[in-house]
Amino acid sequence: MGIAEYKRKPTIFSVVKRGAFFFFLMCSAAVFLYILGTFQQFTDLTQRRLLRLAGFFGLFLSLNSLYGILMDFWFFFRKGRYRVFSDICLYVFLGLFGSLAAALALFINVLAGGRG
């Protein structure tokens, strides 16, 4: 009985995970500034730009999370890594957050009279 060797992931997996965290932080910051600006009555142009940023970062967060899920499934079935469930759950949460943020931001922007 030998020691089981740890199967290391390629570098692209850590790049995708860090990219997802970057888009999550940027989307959260845009949503936070929009909410803060609503209470402090920012100008409408600033609010619309914040909504566009939230939609942009939310969309890229969703796409990045989907790519991360697909890569983890591929790695699991190809290499047999067993601790992939936590990564997939994280990507699902981030993808749902990004999709919801993008949808709400674009919906509010359309209601406010913008083009989206």
Side-chain angles (χ1 to χ4, degrees), residues 71-107:
M71 279 188 359
D72 275 341
F73 272 129
W74 174 82
F75 192 72
F76 177 72
F77 288 119
R78 185 85 170 156
K79 303 287 184 177
R81 181 173 178 249
Y82 297 110
R83 288 191 285 163
V84 73
F85 183 70
S86 60
D87 290 343
I88 291 176
C89 288
L90 176 71
Y91 284 132
V92 167
F93 169 73
L94 292 175
L96 289 175
F97 176 81
S99 299
L100 184 66
L104 285 176
L106 294 176
F107 181 70

Side-chain angles (χ1 to χ4, degrees), residues 1-84:
M1 290 203 279
I3 298 174
E5 74 179 59
Y6 178 70
K7 295 177 179 143
R8 190 170 179 190
K9 283 185 174 181
T11 308
I12 189 70
F13 286 86
S14 62
V15 170
V16 169
K17 188 180 278 189
R18 289 178 184 174
F21 283 128
F22 171 75
F23 287 129
F24 174 72
L25 289 176
M26 290 288 106
C27 184
S28 299
V31 169
F32 174 74
L33 288 175
Y34 173 76
I35 292 171
L36 188 68
T38 301
F39 291 121
Q40 293 185 355
Q41 298 179 357
F42 285 177
T43 62
D44 287 337
L45 182 62
T46 305
Q47 290 292 85
R48 284 192 181 166
R49 287 184 180 161
L50 285 172
L51 283 174
R52 284 186 184 157
L53 277 176
F56 173 78
F57 287 127
L59 179 66
F60 277 106
L61 175 60
S62 300
L63 293 175
N64 194 354
S65 296
L66 179 64
Y67 187 67
I69 290 171
L70 293 175
M71 279 188 359
D72 275 341
F73 272 129
W74 174 82
F75 192 72
F76 177 72
F77 288 119
R78 185 85 170 156
K79 303 287 184 177
R81 181 173 178 249
Y82 297 110
R83 288 191 285 163
V84 73

